[in-house]
C-alpha cells in the first residue's frame, strides 16, 4: 500500500493492484491546495468544507460517506459513527471513523474525532 498525504486530513491510499482511495478532500485550506485526482473511491468523514470537497475528485468513483460497510475490488471499508465534539455532536456534528483493509493491512482514519473512543 502506498500512502500519500495532501495536507490537513487528506490522504490518497493506493493498493498493490492500483485501487485508489481519496480521503477527506478539500479545495483549498490554509497553505494547502488539493490536486485534481481520479480515484476509485472517495471517503468523507464529515460535512465540513475542509473534509468534503468531492469536486477535487474526477471520474466515476464510489462515494463513501456513511457509517456502514463498503467493498470494492481489493478494498474493504467500514465506517463507524462518532462525533466531532465531546457533547455527542451538539456543537460540531457527527464524524465517521473509517477502517480500511487492503493488501493484508488495516489502517484507520479518524477524521475530526472530538472525543475519546
Amino acid at each position: 500500500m502506498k500512502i500519500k498525504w495532501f495536507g490537513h486530513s487528506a490522504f490518497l491510499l493506493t493498493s498493490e493492484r492500483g485501487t485508489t482511495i481519496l480521503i477527506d478532500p478539500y479545495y483549498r485550506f490554509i497553505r494547502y491546495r488539493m490536486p485534481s485526482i481520479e480515484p476509485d473511491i472517495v471517503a468523507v468523514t464529515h460535512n465540513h468544507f475542509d473534509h468534503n470537497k468531492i469536486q477535487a475528485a474526477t471520474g466515476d468513483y464510489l462515494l463513501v460517506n456513511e457509517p456502514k460497510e463498503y467493498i470494492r475490488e481489493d478494498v474493504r471499508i467500514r465506517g463507524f459513527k462518532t462525533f466531532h465534539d465531546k457533547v455527542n455532536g451538539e456543537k460540531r456534528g457527527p464524524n465517521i471513523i473509517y477502517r480500511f483493509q487492503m493488501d493484508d493491512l488495516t489502517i484507520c482514519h479518524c477524521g475530526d474525532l472530538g472525543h475519546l473512543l
Side-chain angles (χ1 to χ4, degrees), residues 6 11 18 22 31 44 49 51-52 58 62 69 74 82 92 96-97 100 108 115:
F6 290 112
F11 291 86
L22 178 60
R31 297 180 302 242
V44 174
F49 75 95
H51 294 260
N52 72 346
T58 61
L62 170 65
E69 187 166 30
D74 58 333
T82 60
R92 305 200 75 200
I96 302 171
I97 290 177
F100 299 93
C108 178
H115 57 86

Side-chain angles (χ1 to χ4, degrees), residues 92-109:
R92 305 200 75 200
N95 180 68
I96 302 171
I97 290 177
Y98 289 111
R99 179 187 67 204
F100 299 93
Q101 295 176 297
M102 56 200 273
D103 298 339
D104 295 323
L105 296 171
T106 300
I107 64 169
C108 178
H109 188 288

